[in-house]
Structures are given as structure tokens and as C-alpha cells.
Amino acid sequence: MTSQAGPTGLTERALGPDLARGFMLLFIALANSHYFVNGPSIFGGFPTDGSPVDRAVSFLIATFVDGRSFPMFGVLFGYGVAQIVRRQREAGQEWKPIRKLLRRRSLVLVVLGFLHAMLLYVGDILAAYGVLLFLGVWALRWKDRWLLIVAAVVLVLSSLPSGDSLSTATDPVDSSMLPQSLLDQFADRIVVQPFIALLGPIGFITPFLIGLWAGRRGVLERPAEHLTLLRSTAIIGITVAVVGALPVSLVVGGVIDRPSDHTLSIIGPLHDSSGVLGGFGYAALIVLIGMRLSDRQGPITLAIAAVGQRSLTCYLAQSVVWTVVFTPYLLDLSRTLSTATTALLAVATWLATVLLAERMRRVGYRGPFEIMIRKFTYRFSKAVTRA
């Protein structure tokens, strides 16, 4: 009878993926926080009446962060799933128990994501990833070429003209983001959250499938064996992401006037689809940096990697800050803070999670939500807390 393999221990983890997850959370903080900033006119999630400094910060975030951080998250999520499958297969597990394990993990993500959305941040992505994992289990036995073909087809379809891109949206901040009372919060979010959970996975299919493909080969764990691929991905992916973002980010930054709706329907999807390649590029670049630092890991490197090892806890900690700072019945600073000062808040929040994660690393503590999800995934294994 084969035994179930436990989660990857902290001492067994590769530096590159953890560094990527750690840096990714800085990008996610910057990408999420500006959507809370209110103003008389909004474009792409940014108030259009800010100072020159606000417009400059908006330009940088729209160019390098928005639509680029979550694809990197998707790649790393798919990569992690591939790692789980590989460890279970090496332990002699058959496909049926592996599917059950992953579906337990997806269930935990859906439940945790629902609670996160209702109590803290309605833009939660955990439930969407839970749904993606539940459906994506069927892709685990696909041949490599089908992973790549489906990923490419979905990317092309997402590039087609559409007026639904968040990068060109002009809607004001929704009441579900900034509820006036706790009762309003639950009433609004119970309607919105299922749509986000069920439709959100569509945008993450390509990164997830590419992550599965890369995870089968250990690309991020053994970067020295894949230097050409990683270097090409970093250069091409980031270049395409920057160039593809410029039509939108120049409008966001106030450099050019807002074009017609027809033009917006073209440059919005371009911004989003090029960001998927940018997510690949960022992941590759950070892994290459991690390879250089692997033999001389200083305190900063270890602290950022510690965030990556506790990415779920640190992600949820960010939402606590957004809730306290922006919710109308709490501090209600959505009209007080500007894009620039909100970006500073995002950086400060990320730095606080770095200190928190480093403290947990020093005492050998995995992180509360990491322990919880592993207990449910691996059936309350005694080794989970130490892993």
C-alpha cells in the first residue's frame, strides 16, 4: 500500500519560486489598492483628477503592475499543482487519490475565498483559483502539446476586441468594495462574489496551464538546466508587456487623451493579454535572480523568500489593511488618499508582511493559513505543521 506524500518542507523548497511569490505580493498590493481610491472620474481603476505625481504613479502601475502580477500568480499556482502531483506520483500514488487530494485543496480555497470576500476584500481570487483547480484537475493528464495549444488558444481569444477590460473601465468604485455598513457589505457581496469566483478562472487558464507545463519539467526549481528558456521568456515577456501596456498607461497617466470606445475595445484586451506574457517574464526574471543569489542568501533575500513561503497568510494580511483603511464605516480614507499615497501604503503594507514572514521564519513557523490549508489537503497529517 502506498503512502501519501506530505507537503514540501521549508528546507526542501527552491529559492526561485519563493522569491517570485514574495515579490509578486508587492505587485498585488499595488494592483489591488488603487481600486479603492475614489474620485469624480475614473479610468482603468485610477482617478483622473490627481496631481502630476499621481498621474506618474498611475502610469507606472498601469505599465508594470496591473494585469501583470496576477498572471505571475497563476503561473506559480499551476507550477505548485504540478509539484504536488509529482510528489504524489513519486510516492506511488494513483490518479484517483491524487484527484481527491487536489479537490480537497480546491474546496478549502473556495470556502476560504468566500469568507475572505465577504469579510475583507470582495476582489478575492482564492475562490476563483479553487474553482480553477477543481476544473483543472482534468488537465493534469493532458499531454504537453495540449497544455500549450489550449493555453495559446485562450490567450488569443482574450486578445480579441472587447469592452469588458478593467484596464479601460470608467465605473466608479462599487458599493461592494466600499460598503456603508456591515449589513450592506454582506448584502452586496453575496451577489457579486459568486460571479467573481465563477468567471475569474477564465482569465487565469493560460497562466495555470503554462505553470503545469513548466512544473512537469522543474523549470523554476532547476533554472540552470533551462537558462535559454528563462532568459528568452524574461526578455520577450517583459518587453511585450511594457509595449502592450503603453496605449492604456499613456491615457491613465494623462499623456494622451482618452480615445474612442472602439479604440478602447482594442487596447484594453491588448493590455490584458500582453500582461499574461509579462507575468511569465517576471517569474522567469526573478527565478534567474534567485539562481544568482542561491549561494549567497542575505537577510533581505531570506525575508522575501519567507513571504513567498507564507504567501497565503501575507495576501490575507494585505486585505486586513485595505478593509481598515478604506471601508466607509471604519477609517474611510478612499477620498483622502491619492493614487501616490495609496501606492506608498501598498509598499508599506508589503514591507510589514516581509517583517512578519521573517519573524515566522526565524521561529520555524509555517504560517497560520498555510498550516490550515495543508491540514485539510493532506488529511490532518502530523507532519504538516513542521513542513
Side-chain angles (χ1 to χ4, degrees), residues 178 180 323-337:
L178 297 175
Q180 296 299 315
T323 300
V324 172
V325 171
F326 295 111
T327 302
Y329 61 81
L330 296 175
L331 293 183
D332 192 18
L333 298 181
S334 66
R335 293 186 182 275
T336 302
L337 296 180

PDB file of all heavy atoms in Angstrom, residues 178 180 323-337:
ATOM      1  N   LEU A 178     -16.727  49.355  -1.196  1.00  0.00           N
ATOM      2  CA  LEU A 178     -16.776  50.341  -0.112  1.00  0.00           C
ATOM      3  C   LEU A 178     -18.185  50.382   0.475  1.00  0.00           C
ATOM      4  O   LEU A 178     -18.949  51.328   0.261  1.00  0.00           O
ATOM      5  CB  LEU A 178     -16.378  51.726  -0.643  1.00  0.00           C
ATOM      6  CG  LEU A 178     -14.963  51.864  -1.185  1.00  0.00           C
ATOM      7  CD1 LEU A 178     -14.746  53.246  -1.781  1.00  0.00           C
ATOM      8  CD2 LEU A 178     -13.935  51.586  -0.091  1.00  0.00           C
ATOM      9  N   GLN A 180     -21.299  50.856   3.006  1.00  0.00           N
ATOM     10  CA  GLN A 180     -21.599  51.866   4.012  1.00  0.00           C
ATOM     11  C   GLN A 180     -21.841  51.268   5.396  1.00  0.00           C
ATOM     12  O   GLN A 180     -21.722  51.966   6.409  1.00  0.00           O
ATOM     13  CB  GLN A 180     -22.827  52.676   3.575  1.00  0.00           C
ATOM     14  CG  GLN A 180     -22.608  53.475   2.302  1.00  0.00           C
ATOM     15  CD  GLN A 180     -21.496  54.501   2.439  1.00  0.00           C
ATOM     16  OE1 GLN A 180     -21.418  55.220   3.436  1.00  0.00           O
ATOM     17  NE2 GLN A 180     -20.634  54.570   1.434  1.00  0.00           N
ATOM     18  N   THR A 323      -9.218  46.843   4.263  1.00  0.00           N
ATOM     19  CA  THR A 323     -10.518  46.929   4.925  1.00  0.00           C
ATOM     20  C   THR A 323     -10.530  48.037   5.976  1.00  0.00           C
ATOM     21  O   THR A 323     -11.443  48.870   6.015  1.00  0.00           O
ATOM     22  CB  THR A 323     -10.875  45.581   5.579  1.00  0.00           C
ATOM     23  OG1 THR A 323     -10.925  44.575   4.567  1.00  0.00           O
ATOM     24  CG2 THR A 323     -12.216  45.651   6.287  1.00  0.00           C
ATOM     25  N   VAL A 324      -9.522  48.055   6.824  1.00  0.00           N
ATOM     26  CA  VAL A 324      -9.466  49.051   7.900  1.00  0.00           C
ATOM     27  C   VAL A 324      -9.313  50.463   7.337  1.00  0.00           C
ATOM     28  O   VAL A 324      -9.980  51.400   7.778  1.00  0.00           O
ATOM     29  CB  VAL A 324      -8.314  48.722   8.874  1.00  0.00           C
ATOM     30  CG1 VAL A 324      -8.122  49.860   9.879  1.00  0.00           C
ATOM     31  CG2 VAL A 324      -8.583  47.405   9.595  1.00  0.00           C
ATOM     32  N   VAL A 325      -8.452  50.618   6.334  1.00  0.00           N
ATOM     33  CA  VAL A 325      -8.132  51.954   5.828  1.00  0.00           C
ATOM     34  C   VAL A 325      -9.249  52.540   4.977  1.00  0.00           C
ATOM     35  O   VAL A 325      -9.586  53.725   5.101  1.00  0.00           O
ATOM     36  CB  VAL A 325      -6.817  51.916   5.025  1.00  0.00           C
ATOM     37  CG1 VAL A 325      -6.577  53.251   4.302  1.00  0.00           C
ATOM     38  CG2 VAL A 325      -5.650  51.625   5.954  1.00  0.00           C
ATOM     39  N   PHE A 326      -9.877  51.741   4.128  1.00  0.00           N
ATOM     40  CA  PHE A 326     -10.782  52.300   3.116  1.00  0.00           C
ATOM     41  C   PHE A 326     -12.273  52.141   3.413  1.00  0.00           C
ATOM     42  O   PHE A 326     -13.080  52.914   2.890  1.00  0.00           O
ATOM     43  CB  PHE A 326     -10.479  51.673   1.755  1.00  0.00           C
ATOM     44  CG  PHE A 326      -9.120  52.003   1.226  1.00  0.00           C
ATOM     45  CD1 PHE A 326      -8.139  51.036   1.130  1.00  0.00           C
ATOM     46  CD2 PHE A 326      -8.805  53.296   0.834  1.00  0.00           C
ATOM     47  CE1 PHE A 326      -6.876  51.339   0.639  1.00  0.00           C
ATOM     48  CE2 PHE A 326      -7.549  53.613   0.351  1.00  0.00           C
ATOM     49  CZ  PHE A 326      -6.582  52.636   0.252  1.00  0.00           C
ATOM     50  N   THR A 327     -12.686  51.170   4.204  1.00  0.00           N
ATOM     51  CA  THR A 327     -14.110  50.940   4.426  1.00  0.00           C
ATOM     52  C   THR A 327     -14.775  52.160   5.057  1.00  0.00           C
ATOM     53  O   THR A 327     -14.279  52.686   6.056  1.00  0.00           O
ATOM     54  CB  THR A 327     -14.311  49.706   5.333  1.00  0.00           C
ATOM     55  OG1 THR A 327     -13.700  48.568   4.711  1.00  0.00           O
ATOM     56  CG2 THR A 327     -15.784  49.423   5.531  1.00  0.00           C
ATOM     57  N   PRO A 328     -15.890  52.620   4.495  1.00  0.00           N
ATOM     58  CA  PRO A 328     -16.550  53.837   4.993  1.00  0.00           C
ATOM     59  C   PRO A 328     -16.915  53.808   6.470  1.00  0.00           C
ATOM     60  O   PRO A 328     -16.852  54.834   7.139  1.00  0.00           O
ATOM     61  CB  PRO A 328     -17.796  53.932   4.112  1.00  0.00           C
ATOM     62  CG  PRO A 328     -17.385  53.304   2.829  1.00  0.00           C
ATOM     63  CD  PRO A 328     -16.494  52.165   3.231  1.00  0.00           C
ATOM     64  N   TYR A 329     -17.292  52.647   7.014  1.00  0.00           N
ATOM     65  CA  TYR A 329     -17.668  52.618   8.420  1.00  0.00           C
ATOM     66  C   TYR A 329     -16.458  52.369   9.337  1.00  0.00           C
ATOM     67  O   TYR A 329     -16.616  52.215  10.558  1.00  0.00           O
ATOM     68  CB  TYR A 329     -18.784  51.601   8.686  1.00  0.00           C
ATOM     69  CG  TYR A 329     -18.467  50.169   8.364  1.00  0.00           C
ATOM     70  CD1 TYR A 329     -17.753  49.366   9.238  1.00  0.00           C
ATOM     71  CD2 TYR A 329     -18.925  49.584   7.177  1.00  0.00           C
ATOM     72  CE1 TYR A 329     -17.489  48.043   8.960  1.00  0.00           C
ATOM     73  CE2 TYR A 329     -18.669  48.257   6.877  1.00  0.00           C
ATOM     74  CZ  TYR A 329     -17.945  47.494   7.772  1.00  0.00           C
ATOM     75  OH  TYR A 329     -17.677  46.169   7.495  1.00  0.00           O
ATOM     76  N   LEU A 330     -15.248  52.368   8.748  1.00  0.00           N
ATOM     77  CA  LEU A 330     -14.020  52.298   9.548  1.00  0.00           C
ATOM     78  C   LEU A 330     -13.236  53.606   9.347  1.00  0.00           C
ATOM     79  O   LEU A 330     -13.737  54.667   9.675  1.00  0.00           O
ATOM     80  CB  LEU A 330     -13.224  51.047   9.174  1.00  0.00           C
ATOM     81  CG  LEU A 330     -13.947  49.722   9.494  1.00  0.00           C
ATOM     82  CD1 LEU A 330     -13.170  48.530   8.995  1.00  0.00           C
ATOM     83  CD2 LEU A 330     -14.208  49.607  11.000  1.00  0.00           C
ATOM     84  N   LEU A 331     -12.036  53.584   8.759  1.00  0.00           N
ATOM     85  CA  LEU A 331     -11.277  54.832   8.611  1.00  0.00           C
ATOM     86  C   LEU A 331     -11.752  55.694   7.442  1.00  0.00           C
ATOM     87  O   LEU A 331     -11.548  56.910   7.442  1.00  0.00           O
ATOM     88  CB  LEU A 331      -9.783  54.520   8.441  1.00  0.00           C
ATOM     89  CG  LEU A 331      -9.087  53.908   9.668  1.00  0.00           C
ATOM     90  CD1 LEU A 331      -7.595  53.723   9.398  1.00  0.00           C
ATOM     91  CD2 LEU A 331      -9.295  54.764  10.911  1.00  0.00           C
ATOM     92  N   ASP A 332     -12.312  55.074   6.416  1.00  0.00           N
ATOM     93  CA  ASP A 332     -12.933  55.811   5.304  1.00  0.00           C
ATOM     94  C   ASP A 332     -11.969  56.803   4.644  1.00  0.00           C
ATOM     95  O   ASP A 332     -12.245  57.998   4.540  1.00  0.00           O
ATOM     96  CB  ASP A 332     -14.173  56.562   5.807  1.00  0.00           C
ATOM     97  CG  ASP A 332     -15.021  57.099   4.654  1.00  0.00           C
ATOM     98  OD1 ASP A 332     -14.863  56.618   3.517  1.00  0.00           O
ATOM     99  OD2 ASP A 332     -15.843  58.014   4.908  1.00  0.00           O
ATOM    100  N   LEU A 333     -10.845  56.292   4.156  1.00  0.00           N
ATOM    101  CA  LEU A 333      -9.845  57.166   3.536  1.00  0.00           C
ATOM    102  C   LEU A 333      -9.831  57.066   2.012  1.00  0.00           C
ATOM    103  O   LEU A 333      -8.865  57.482   1.377  1.00  0.00           O
ATOM    104  CB  LEU A 333      -8.445  56.836   4.084  1.00  0.00           C
ATOM    105  CG  LEU A 333      -8.237  57.044   5.582  1.00  0.00           C
ATOM    106  CD1 LEU A 333      -6.795  56.709   5.963  1.00  0.00           C
ATOM    107  CD2 LEU A 333      -8.580  58.473   5.991  1.00  0.00           C
ATOM    108  N   SER A 334     -10.875  56.547   1.408  1.00  0.00           N
ATOM    109  CA  SER A 334     -10.869  56.347  -0.039  1.00  0.00           C
ATOM    110  C   SER A 334     -10.861  57.664  -0.806  1.00  0.00           C
ATOM    111  O   SER A 334     -10.401  57.712  -1.956  1.00  0.00           O
ATOM    112  CB  SER A 334     -12.075  55.507  -0.474  1.00  0.00           C
ATOM    113  OG  SER A 334     -13.286  56.201  -0.236  1.00  0.00           O
ATOM    114  N   ARG A 335     -11.362  58.727  -0.204  1.00  0.00           N
ATOM    115  CA  ARG A 335     -11.331  60.040  -0.859  1.00  0.00           C
ATOM    116  C   ARG A 335     -10.240  60.936  -0.290  1.00  0.00           C
ATOM    117  O   ARG A 335     -10.049  62.052  -0.756  1.00  0.00           O
ATOM    118  CB  ARG A 335     -12.695  60.725  -0.735  1.00  0.00           C
ATOM    119  CG  ARG A 335     -13.805  60.020  -1.504  1.00  0.00           C
ATOM    120  CD  ARG A 335     -15.100  60.816  -1.479  1.00  0.00           C
ATOM    121  NE  ARG A 335     -16.171  60.123  -2.186  1.00  0.00           N
ATOM    122  CZ  ARG A 335     -16.365  60.199  -3.504  1.00  0.00           C
ATOM    123  NH1 ARG A 335     -15.566  60.952  -4.242  1.00  0.00           N
ATOM    124  NH2 ARG A 335     -17.359  59.536  -4.079  1.00  0.00           N
ATOM    125  N   THR A 336      -9.546  60.458   0.728  1.00  0.00           N
ATOM    126  CA  THR A 336      -8.471  61.239   1.347  1.00  0.00           C
ATOM    127  C   THR A 336      -7.122  60.895   0.730  1.00  0.00           C
ATOM    128  O   THR A 336      -6.327  61.781   0.410  1.00  0.00           O
ATOM    129  CB  THR A 336      -8.431  60.971   2.861  1.00  0.00           C
ATOM    130  OG1 THR A 336      -9.694  61.292   3.431  1.00  0.00           O
ATOM    131  CG2 THR A 336      -7.343  61.816   3.525  1.00  0.00           C
ATOM    132  N   LEU A 337      -6.880  59.606   0.559  1.00  0.00           N
ATOM    133  CA  LEU A 337      -5.621  59.167  -0.034  1.00  0.00           C
ATOM    134  C   LEU A 337      -5.683  59.314  -1.552  1.00  0.00           C
ATOM    135  O   LEU A 337      -6.727  59.107  -2.169  1.00  0.00           O
ATOM    136  CB  LEU A 337      -5.335  57.712   0.334  1.00  0.00           C
ATOM    137  CG  LEU A 337      -5.112  57.416   1.816  1.00  0.00           C
ATOM    138  CD1 LEU A 337      -4.833  55.936   2.013  1.00  0.00           C
ATOM    139  CD2 LEU A 337      -3.971  58.249   2.376  1.00  0.00           C
TER     140      LEU A 337
END
